[in-house]
Amino acid sequence: MMLMATAFPVCSQRSAPQMALDVLPSSSPSPCAFLPGRSSLGMLGRAVGAVQGDLEGFGAGSVLALWCHRLEEVPLEVLRQRESKWLDMLNNWDKWMAKKHKKIRLRCQKGIPPSLRGRAWQYLSGSKVKLEQNIGKFDELDLLTGDPKWLDVIERDLHRQFPFHEMFVSRGGHGQQDLFRVLKAYTLYRPEEGYCQAQAPIAAVLLMHMPAEQAFWCLVQICEKYLPGYYSEKLEAIQLDGQILFSLLHKVSPVAYKHLSKQKIDPILYMTEWFMCAFSRTLPWSSVLRVWDMFFCEGRSSSPTILLLVPGVKIIFRVGLVLLKHTLGSSDKLKSCQGQYETMERLRALSPKIMQETFLVQEVIELPVTERQIEREHLIQLKKWRETHGELQCKSPPRLHGAKAISEAEPPPRKALEPVPSIIVSPGPAPVPKARKSKEKSREKSPASPANGPGAEGHGAPSSARELLHPQASPHHQSKESLSSRESEDTYL
């Protein structure tokens, strides 16, 4: 069966270069080819193991299961240990981010436990803090109607996102409804950007791991902190990053660089979908999750001395370079890619081996590309861009430098310390010396003196003594309601 592919994801209203909008049909009969309609997981046929498919929400009985990779099997005891460690980190997040960020990065590279992945992504991206700073904002946006020009485009894209996943299999089902709500809310939250088709698979992946409100704020963080400018008009940021990727390829794989240069294949033809969808439409499902774990943790270059308008996304760049290196990086691999068309076909039907979870993650970690190299290349390409195109029209905020930088830039709101009443012992009557007891008894028997009369307040015992003699007059002996409402500053433990 010949499976046809449609265009790369592009922003519906965009005036991007025509080459980014061209349809590149696929005639490959391989089961690795893209599915009809280019579902959000482009290689969904290799996404989920037939045995474990249902565990990830993809129906194991579908035809997709015939082409699936098996998910990496983690021993149950190891998984429980990882969950315990992640629970400790999430429950003490500020401390870990401040003092043990390297440990968080290593654990993200090993993979976040599935049961905690959604919660971890919210902490790593800073979307949890963003939500706390904007309580009720999503509900407010959800109640608004939205711009009809965006609503129509969003409606047409809903059924294309992971159509074989249980959340999105039914038209009008809860998954598609939540996806519509999240995307519509973003067009209202950022009306100057509107909607871009590449945002749909991003939002769909998030919805598989968290409720709609949390997914919305996570999408906001991705668009504003991780990939700023990617979904704006004219796609300037993605074009610039394409040139950075191509230049880095010269250092990583000269053979692949030379071949693509010879074939005059512009980077935007093969990397647009990779980067804009964060590989969610390209890699097997298990690999998508592992890449996203690292992406949220160390998603961008991290020099505190350089704040770039659109700096390179470290993990996204590394994954792209690994795929290019192992697809076109040797003369043997190029024997079947003599022309432009054959090369593009190879890049669209990547070998399952190089996308396998364990292999890909290890290659990404070990790739000899430093953050400083990405930053330096960005400055070079930005200078060239200004010489040929002028200043960037998209004034995106600078990307922050990974989860740690986001945490420092957007610290969680500190709750005011709530006084905790200590145990208050009712003061008893003050001890009276024996020598004075007889005198007090005689005073009680004698008629009332001025000291005991109505004018005693001005001339009698001090207020502290009165409190001792009449404990109910002391503020500490008011009702429980009064004590709890006042929570005197003298009652901290």
Side-chain angles (χ1 to χ4, degrees):
M1 178 178 65
M2 186 177 297
L3 302 177
M4 304 299 291
T6 60
F8 284 113
V10 292
C11 303
S12 301
Q13 86 284 19
R14 317 306 190 204
S15 55
Q18 183 60 39
M19 57 186 172
L21 309 180
D22 289 340
V23 176
L24 297 176
S26 170
S27 60
S28 171
S30 167
C32 296
F34 293 104
L35 295 169
R38 294 274 295 196
S39 65
S40 295
L41 191 54
M43 300 293 189
L44 196 55
R46 293 173 281 102
V48 187
V51 176
Q52 302 182 8
D54 285 328
L55 299 178
E56 294 292 329
F58 297 97
S62 70
V63 67
L64 300 174
L66 298 176
W67 304 333
C68 290
H69 287 320
R70 289 185 64 85
L71 298 175
E72 185 183 53
E73 295 182 3
V74 180
L76 183 59
E77 189 60 34
V78 174
L79 186 60
R80 285 176 175 171
Q81 291 175 3
R82 290 183 181 177
E83 286 178 339
S84 177
K85 293 175 181 178
W86 270 95
L87 279 172
D88 176 64
M89 288 198 306
L90 295 174
N91 291 332
N92 301 277
W93 188 250
D94 292 344
K95 180 187 74 174
W96 279 85
M97 286 300 297
K99 299 181 179 180
K100 301 180 180 181
H101 179 255
K102 290 184 178 179
K103 193 69 174 178
I104 295 178
R105 184 177 64 185
L106 290 174
R107 289 179 179 175
C108 286
Q109 291 175 354
K110 291 181 180 179
I112 301 173
S115 61
L116 298 172
R117 180 168 274 123
R119 184 180 171 193
W121 285 357
Q122 294 175 55
Y123 278 75
L124 289 166
S125 66
S127 64
K128 180 178 182 294
V129 175
K130 197 79 170 177
L131 188 155
E132 293 172 351
Q133 294 172 345
N134 296 272
I135 297 295
K137 182 65 175 180
F138 175 75
D139 294 333
E140 175 187 329
L141 297 172
D142 194 27
L143 293 175
L144 299 178
T145 304
D147 191 329
K149 72 175 182 180
W150 299 130
L151 301 184
D152 292 341
V153 181
I154 293 172
E155 284 276 10
R156 291 198 298 267
D157 285 344
L158 294 178
H159 72 281
R160 302 172 183 168
Q161 316 309 324
F162 300 91
F164 295 96
H165 192 279
E166 61 185 8
M167 278 188 66
F168 307 104
V169 69
S170 301
R171 281 184 176 271
H174 70 93
Q176 291 193 14
Q177 290 180 18
D178 284 348
L179 182 58
F180 177 83
R181 293 170 60 209
V182 169
L183 296 174
K184 183 199 76 171
Y186 189 83
T187 65
L188 295 166
Y189 184 74
R190 285 286 179 262
E192 68 279 7
E193 287 190 13
Y195 166 69
C196 180
Q197 290 175 333
Q199 291 172 317
I202 296 285
V205 174
L206 295 173
L207 283 169
M208 294 180 196
H209 295 85
M210 59 192 77
E213 184 176 18
Q214 285 80 354
F216 168 75
W217 289 113
C218 208
L219 176 66
V220 169
Q221 290 296 89
I222 291 174
C223 296
E224 293 185 353
K225 308 299 183 186
Y226 289 82
L227 306 174
Y230 268 36
Y231 310 108
S232 60
E233 190 175 4
K234 297 187 177 180
L235 306 178
E236 291 176 321
I238 196 69
Q239 294 180 66
L240 187 60
D241 278 0
Q243 296 304 319
I244 297 171
L245 176 72
F246 192 56
S247 183
L248 291 171
L249 182 63
H250 186 265
K251 302 176 178 65
V252 172
S253 179
V255 174
Y257 175 86
K258 183 178 178 180
H259 177 76
L260 291 171
S261 299
K262 180 181 177 181
Q263 300 298 331
K264 298 181 180 180
I265 299 177
D266 194 283
I268 203 170
L269 292 176
Y270 54 82
M271 56 77 65
T272 303
E273 180 179 82
W274 292 358
F275 279 43
M276 291 184 72
C277 300
F279 294 95
S280 62
R281 290 178 52 162
T282 305
L283 299 175
W285 184 241
S286 58
S287 300
V288 170
L289 298 179
R290 294 290 300 277
V291 166
W292 278 42
D293 290 346
M294 296 185 292
F295 169 68
F296 278 118
C297 182
E298 46 185 322
R300 57 195 74 73
S301 29
S302 59
S303 169
T305 61
I306 300 180
L307 287 179
L308 305 175
L309 179 63
V310 278
V313 185
K314 186 175 77 170
I315 293 299
I316 298 295
F317 272 111
R318 283 174 171 262
V319 175
L321 291 169
V322 168
L323 296 180
L324 291 170
K325 173 185 174 182
H326 289 280
T327 301
L328 305 172
S330 69
S331 55
D332 290 339
K333 294 181 174 67
L334 295 179
K335 288 180 180 179
S336 59
C337 303
Q338 296 300 314
Q340 186 182 80
Y341 178 80
E342 290 80 9
T343 302
M344 286 303 304
E345 285 300 297
R346 177 59 62 86
L347 290 174
R348 300 180 62 158
L350 297 168
S351 168
K353 178 183 176 182
I354 67 174
M355 296 188 294
Q356 193 271 335
E357 175 186 351
T358 305
F359 176 84
L360 178 63
V361 170
Q362 194 62 33
E363 287 290 314
V364 167
I365 294 172
E366 296 177 354
L367 192 73
V369 173
T370 65
E371 298 169 355
R372 179 61 61 175
Q373 285 177 317
I374 298 175
E375 290 169 345
R376 183 167 56 247
E377 196 56 48
H378 177 269
L379 292 176
I380 293 172
Q381 296 302 326
L382 184 59
K383 182 179 179 181
K384 291 181 178 179
W385 178 277
R386 287 169 176 164
E387 291 174 352
T388 57
H389 299 83
E391 290 292 332
L392 291 169
Q393 295 183 21
C394 175
K395 302 300 181 183
S396 302
R399 277 195 185 120
L400 298 179
H401 317 306
K404 184 173 177 61
I406 290 178
S407 176
E408 293 171 351
E410 298 179 345
R414 300 290 181 184
K415 294 182 180 179
L417 290 176
E418 297 182 0
V420 180
S422 59
I423 299 175
I424 301 172
V425 180
S426 302
V432 181
K434 293 181 179 180
R436 296 176 57 187
K437 284 185 178 180
S438 57
K439 294 182 179 180
E440 291 179 358
K441 289 180 179 180
S442 61
R443 287 177 183 173
E444 291 176 0
K445 294 178 180 179
S446 64
S449 64
N452 297 331
E457 282 197 13
H459 309 284
S463 60
S464 59
R466 288 198 307 275
E467 290 175 4
L468 296 178
L469 294 174
H470 305 281
Q472 293 300 325
S474 172
H476 292 297
H477 289 79
Q478 297 175 3
S479 66
K480 292 182 180 179
E481 291 76 15
S482 175
L483 177 63
S484 62
S485 63
R486 289 187 56 208
E487 290 182 338
S488 170
E489 33 185 64
D490 296 329
T491 59
Y492 289 108
L493 280 175

